[in-house]
Amino acid sequence: EETWRLGCRSVMVVPLVARGRVLGCLSLMSGTAGRFGECDLELARELARRAALSLDNALLYGEARQAQARTARLQAVTAALSRAASEDAVAQVLAREVWEASGATRVAVLALEEDGRMRPLRVLGYPEEALASFTRPPEGTAPDIRREAGWFGSLEEFIARYPESAELARRQGAGARAVVPLWGETRVRGLLLLAWPEPRVFPASERAFLEALAHQCAQALERAALYEALRERTERLRQALVTGRRAA
């Protein structure tokens, strides 16, 4: 109906197909009725085939560039985390990298305590009420820790998984969310929370990248805990030696 009002009396639509995927379509319109014939259709199909190949090549090139950039960023994160000797330093590296790479407007890195409570290590963009809910969850509730990351393209999807957080989530606005566990070698060390202001989809490459960041962070948190335990043990040994010398 719309094309008729625009004066189009002949329309030909040919899909742009490459490697079994429909990438778009080629639309040809004319104000003359019966304008397109079989020869025109064959020509349009050939043009669509060539356009689809060019478009597919451009998409492959863009994906390769993105993969290269993410690999370089992961290498830089690995180097930065290797120099982080405390929980705070690890969380700072992770929050900064995720903030810059994902485009999320809210990022929180939470540590999981032995009693099951969450302790904020680094929070960016979240309001004070959200920070309070991380620190002091409602009585009788426990964090839903899962090994698999949760990817929620909209507020409704998030509430369906976490109905107990529906009121707080609505106050923070609509948009996509992600809950990525910081899974180390032996257990979950915490959670990485991300939020975007609008609904979105999560490509497989982006999920893998963010999960790789979270795993590296969890390993760095384990190293930081071992380093802190070793430092405390060394300090106790030093104090014992000093006390022994004084006694002697």
Side-chain angles (χ1 to χ4, degrees), residues 92-174:
Q92 183 177 0
V93 171
L94 178 64
R96 181 185 69 245
E97 293 297 330
V98 169
W99 182 280
E100 295 177 356
S102 68
T105 55
R106 296 191 295 274
V107 177
V109 183
L110 311 178
L112 178 62
E113 300 283 23
E114 293 184 359
D115 61 1
R117 290 183 176 272
M118 307 302 297
R119 175 166 52 88
L121 297 178
R122 184 70 55 172
V123 178
L124 302 175
Y126 279 97
E128 289 295 328
E129 60 179 359
L131 180 60
S133 70
F134 298 152
T135 310
R136 299 182 300 276
E139 192 67 29
T141 64
D144 184 10
I145 306 296
R146 309 185 185 197
R147 181 158 187 165
E148 299 79 15
W151 306 97
F152 311 100
S154 65
L155 174 63
E156 291 72 23
E157 292 180 16
F158 179 83
I159 292 176
R161 170 73 70 85
Y162 300 103
E164 69 280 0
S165 303
E167 183 179 352
L168 177 62
R170 290 192 181 95
R171 288 201 299 269
Q172 294 175 14

